[in-house]
Amino acid sequence: MPPFVRSLRAGRAPALLVVLAVTLAARAAAQTAVSLSAVEGYGNLHAAGVVATVAGDAEGNAAAALEWRRSGEPTFRPGHPLLRTGATRFVGSLFFLEPATSYEVRVTLSDPNGVTGAPSLVASFATRSATLVEPSLRTLYVAPGGSNGNPGTDPLFPLATIQRAADLAQPGDLVMIAPGVYRESVTVPTSGTAAAPIVFRAEGPGAILDGADAAIAAGVSWTNDGGGVYSRVTGFATGHVVCELGRLFRYGSLAELATLGAGAPGGFYFDGSRLSVHFADGSAPAAHTLHVARLENGFYLDGRTQVRIEGLEIRHYGSGDYGKGVYLRYATDCAVLRCSIRDVEAAGIWVKGGERHRLEGNELADSSVFDWPWDWTKGSSAEATGIYFTDAVGRGHVVRGNRLRGLFNGIAPCGSALAAGVATLEVDVYGNDLAEQADDAFEPEGECPNVRFWDNRIRDVHMAFAVAPAGTGPLWIVGNVAHDFGNTRTSQLDGYTASWLKVNSGYSTPVGPLLVYQNTFFSEAPGTSATALLNPGNSTFVRSRNNVMAGTDYALYKVNPIALDWDRDDLVTTHASHFVWWLGTSYATLAALAAGTGQETHGISAPPRLVAPAAGVYRPQATSPLRDAGVAIAGINDGFEGAAPDLGAVEWRSAIFVDGFEVGSAGAWHRPEPVVDAPPAD
C-alpha cells in the first residue's frame, strides 16, 4: 500500500496535504522568481549603456530599477528604469555624462514572485576621454611637387603621395598633407596604438583627395552621338560622374540616358568601355568640367586600429557600384574628424563591423540627389548615405557634430547583425545637423540594441527617423528637433507620405522598444501629418513622453497595428477637420482620442508657440502651453525649471544659457552642459 494511502487511513492526510501544497508552491516560486546574475556598464563620451543579466522569471513580470553616481559621491541618483529585451536581459542608458570620468551603477530587481539571491548589484565603468592622443614619433610631409624618393621627414623635401606616407607610417607618426589635389586611393598597411596613433592631417584648407581622372577633368575630346549625347572611350571603369553643376545620374542604358528621366543637371551611361553623357540643357562636355571617377575608395582601413583622418576634402569616388570616401572595414578605434566629404557615389563614410570609431565634425554632401525623383533614385547608385554602418557592427561608435546636406539618407548607424558576443551596440548619434535628405535623415534599421539619438537637428527631410525595422532595442530618441519634414520633392511631388517616424517595414522583425522623449517634431510643410504610422509594421511598443508633434494634416495618422504608449505630448495640426485617424476611426479631439484609445490622457493639443522656428529658435515662448506641461523622467530631464518639465526639445529658461547650438540664447537643450566639444560652424 502506498505511503500516502497509509497516511490517509492513519488520519494524517491534512498535515501531508499542507506539506505537499507548500512544496509545490515553493517549486512554482522558484521557477518564476527572478535572480540577478550580472550587471555591466559601458561608457562612451557623454552616455553609457547598462546591461543586467537575469535568470528565472518565467512569467516575464520582473522589473529592474537603475541608479547611478559618479565614483566617490555619497548617494545614488535615479536613472531611467531598464527595459527587458529578452528572457535573460534588461538594458538601459545614461545620458549627459562627463568624459574621462568613473561612474557606478546599481541595478535592483523586483518581482511579484520574489527575488532569489541579492536583489541589487553594483558595477563600475568609466567614460572615454574626449581628448585624442597626439602622435609624437615623427612627422612625414606630403606636398604637390614632392618626391616619393625622399625620406619625407623634412618639410623642404616632402613625399609626393599620401600612399607613400601611409606605407612608411609607423605608430606615433603624423602625416602632414599640404594643400593640393591628390588623385589616389590610400590603403593604410599599419595600425597605430592607443598611446601612439597614426594620424593623417591636412595642413590647411585645400588638401584634397580626389578619385576622378585628371585628364578628363582637364578637358578631352568627345564624340557627338546626336540627340545631346556625347561619348568617349575612357580606358578605365567608372560608375560615378560629377560636373560643376552637380552629380550626373547614372542610367542603365542609352535609351534611358536619352530620356533624362531623373532630370537636371544630366546623366551618363557606361557600357564597360565607352562613357556617354547627356546634359539637360543639351550642351557639349567641352562646356563643363567633368570629374569621372576612376577609383572606388578614398581611404581604405581594413582591420586597422588607432588611425585618424583629419581635415581633408575627399571627393569623386566610385569607379564601381559602392564608392566610398572613407571605408572602415573591421577596423577599431579609428576616427574621421573635420573632413569635407562630398559627391561620393555610395557613402561618405562606410563602417563595416569594427568598434569604437569616432566620426566627428565632418561635412558630408551631395550636389544633385535631393532634387531627383524618388522612384529613379531609390535602388540606384544615387541612393547615397552620408554615414553608413553595415554587417556585424561592434560596440561603442560615436557619431557627433557632423553636418549633412543633400543626400538620399543621412546616418544609418545599425548593422544587419550583431558582432559575436555583443548584446548591445552602445552607439551614440548626437549633436548632428541634417538637412535636405531626399528620404531618411536617420535610418536605424537592422539590429539596434541601445542605439541613442539625442540633441540632433533635422530639417527639410522626407522622414526624420526610419525604424523599419530597428530590431531588438531599446532605441532612444531624446531631445531632437525635426522641422519641416515633408518639405522635399519626395513628399510634395513624388507622392510619398512623410512623417517624423517611419515604422512600416514589410518585415516580421519587431521594432523596439522605442523610447521617444522631449523632442520637437514640427512641420509646416503642406499636407504633412506629424506622425504617420503606415502598414506593415511590428513592435514591442513605442513610448512617447513630453514631445511636440505638430503637422498640417493629421497630428497622428495610424493604420499600423504597432503598440503605442503615448502621454504628456502636444498633438496638434493646422488642418481644419483632421486630428487623429486611428485604425479606421476618426477622432476629432484629444478627449475623444483618450476615451477611445487610452492614449494621451494627460496630453495637450494646442499650437506650441515657439519663439522663431523659421530662424531655428525652438524654445517655447513665455506664454506657450508647452511650459510645465510635461512629466519628470529620471535620467532624461533632471534639473528642469518650474513645476514640471516643458514639452519639446528646448526647455524655456528665464536666464541666459549657453549651449552648443543656441549660443547666447535663453533656450537650452535637455542636458546640463554642452555635449559637443567643438561643433562645426554652420
Side-chain angles (χ1 to χ4, degrees):
M1 183 180 295
F4 184 69
V5 175
R6 289 201 302 269
S7 298
L8 285 175
R9 290 184 176 180
R12 297 197 299 272
L16 284 172
L17 288 173
V18 169
V19 171
L20 180 61
V22 170
T23 301
L24 292 175
R27 288 177 179 175
Q31 291 173 352
T32 60
V34 70
S35 62
L36 185 56
S37 304
V39 171
E40 176 206 11
Y42 186 99
N44 278 340
L45 298 178
H46 295 98
V50 180
V51 178
T53 304
V54 302
D57 189 30
E59 295 175 345
N61 58 353
L66 174 64
E67 299 169 288
W68 66 280
R69 67 183 178 188
R70 287 185 178 86
S71 296
E73 288 183 340
T75 59
F76 284 91
R77 64 192 81 180
H80 190 287
L82 304 185
L83 295 103
R84 182 184 287 278
T85 61
T88 62
R89 188 174 297 121
F90 284 86
V91 174
S93 287
L94 297 171
F95 294 85
F96 320 123
L97 305 180
E98 292 275 2
T101 303
S102 296
Y103 291 92
E104 293 177 317
V105 291
R106 180 168 65 192
V107 174
T108 302
L109 294 184
S110 59
D111 188 336
N113 302 299
V115 177
T116 301
S120 298
L121 283 178
V122 174
S124 300
F125 70 91
T127 51
R128 292 150 61 185
S129 174
T131 302
L132 294 167
V133 174
E134 189 67 10
S136 58
L137 179 64
R138 59 180 180 170
T139 299
L140 298 173
Y141 297 91
V142 180
S147 170
N148 285 343
N150 292 331
T153 53
D154 187 335
L156 298 178
F157 300 96
L159 301 167
T161 65
I162 303 171
Q163 182 60 61
R164 178 56 178 162
D167 292 339
L168 294 174
Q170 297 298 312
D173 279 350
L174 169 64
V175 177
M176 189 66 75
I177 304 165
V181 178
Y182 303 86
R183 298 184 182 275
E184 51 182 310
S185 180
V186 180
T187 300
V188 181
T190 304
S191 292
T193 68
I198 296 174
V199 177
F200 296 85
R201 179 177 296 160
E203 187 177 336
I208 301 169
L209 194 61
D210 196 312
D213 181 74
I216 296 178
V220 293
S221 62
W222 293 80
T223 300
N224 187 343
D225 296 330
V229 176
Y230 294 79
S231 69
R232 69 172 283 113
V233 173
T234 60
F236 58 87
T238 190
H240 184 56
V241 179
V242 180
C243 74
E244 81 286 353
L245 299 176
R247 176 175 181 161
L248 302 187
F249 190 86
R250 179 182 178 182
Y251 291 97
S253 68
L254 282 173
E256 284 187 347
L257 178 64
T259 67
L260 288 182
F268 74 96
Y269 168 67
F270 183 69
D271 67 3
S273 62
R274 179 171 289 271
L275 173 66
S276 300
V277 298
H278 185 187
F279 290 94
D281 62 2
S283 58
H288 303 278
T289 300
L290 281 175
H291 305 284
V292 179
R294 65 179 300 158
L295 300 172
E296 183 76 342
N297 303 309
F299 267 92
Y300 181 30
L301 275 60
D302 188 3
R304 299 294 166 249
T305 62
Q306 295 291 345
V307 177
R308 298 206 305 265
I309 303 163
E310 301 180 0
L312 289 165
E313 180 179 338
I314 303 172
R315 66 190 190 189
H316 306 150
Y317 285 88
S319 60
D321 296 324
Y322 302 101
K324 299 169 282 291
V326 177
Y327 188 16
L328 304 175
R329 185 181 187 277
Y330 297 106
T332 300
D333 282 309
C334 293
V336 183
L337 310 175
R338 300 178 299 280
C339 290
S340 174
I341 306 176
R342 60 184 182 87
D343 283 316
V344 172
E345 182 186 26
I349 303 172
W350 189 309
V351 178
K352 182 175 183 178
E355 295 183 297
R356 295 185 303 276
H357 297 317
R358 288 175 59 170
L359 313 178
E360 304 179 13
N362 301 291
E363 295 200 11
L364 302 109
D366 196 282
S367 52
S368 300
V369 170
F370 183 68
D371 296 319
W372 285 337
W374 194 94
D375 286 339
W376 276 98
T377 310
K378 180 67 177 177
S380 77
S381 65
E383 191 178 344
T385 300
I387 299 174
Y388 191 28
F389 288 67
T390 63
D391 296 84
V393 175
R395 301 180 99 184
H397 300 293
V398 173
V399 183
R400 63 175 189 156
N402 300 287
R403 185 177 186 269
L404 291 85
R405 295 291 186 272
L407 296 147
F408 192 76
N409 294 311
I411 299 174
C414 305
S416 57
L418 300 178
V422 170
T424 58
L425 288 185
E426 310 304 344
V427 171
D428 287 313
V429 183
Y430 61 102
N432 300 286
D433 181 356
L434 291 81
E436 298 179 353
Q437 315 297 306
D439 198 12
D440 306 325
F442 291 114
E443 197 174 62
E445 298 181 352
E447 282 297 320
C448 305
N450 238 20
V451 173
R452 297 173 284 262
F453 295 91
W454 43 295
D455 286 3
N456 299 288
R457 289 209 173 186
I458 307 160
R459 64 174 176 82
D460 299 326
V461 303
H462 179 56
M463 296 280 186
F465 291 89
V467 292
T472 307
L475 188 74
W476 304 78
I477 300 176
V478 178
N480 304 281
V481 171
H483 185 203
D484 281 354
F485 48 90
N487 188 32
T488 68
R489 179 198 168 106
T490 303
S491 322
Q492 298 295 319
L493 296 179
D494 298 339
Y496 292 94
T497 301
S499 173
W500 79 262
L501 176 65
K502 174 185 175 183
V503 295
N504 60 305
S505 64
Y507 298 99
S508 59
T509 305
V511 175
L514 178 61
L515 305 173
V516 186
Y517 298 140
Q518 297 289 171
N519 301 279
T520 298
F521 303 128
F522 180 81
S523 183
E524 300 170 287
T528 300
S529 295
T531 310
L533 305 180
L534 308 176
N535 267 326
N538 296 276
S539 172
T540 52
F541 65 88
V542 179
R543 179 181 297 155
S544 176
R545 297 288 189 274
N546 298 357
N547 301 291
V548 175
M549 300 184 190
T552 60
D553 192 7
Y554 285 95
L556 170 61
Y557 182 82
K558 184 180 190 295
V559 295
N560 187 315
I562 195 166
L564 302 186
D565 171 19
W566 287 20
D567 202 7
R568 296 283 185 175
D569 301 304
D570 183 18
L571 272 59
V572 62
T573 177
T574 57
H575 197 282
S577 58
H578 290 175
F579 180 56
V580 169
W581 180 269
W582 183 288
L583 299 178
T585 300
S586 177
Y587 295 105
T589 65
L590 190 68
L593 174 70
T597 67
Q599 305 293 326
E600 297 294 353
T601 57
H602 302 93
I604 65 171
S605 180
R609 292 207 294 273
L610 305 176
V611 170
V617 183
Y618 299 100
R619 73 178 185 273
Q621 299 176 20
T623 58
S624 170
L626 306 181
R627 292 192 57 198
D628 297 346
V631 62
I633 307 172
I636 300 296
N637 54 21
D638 305 319
F640 59 84
E641 291 188 355
D646 296 347
L647 303 187
V650 186
E651 176 87 3
W652 183 91
R653 291 175 185 264
S654 58
I656 296 295
F657 183 93
V658 177
D659 67 29
F661 288 91
E662 297 182 75
V663 176
S665 78
W669 293 78
H670 280 286
R671 58 173 183 253
E673 57 200 19
V675 296
V676 179
D677 298 328
D682 196 341

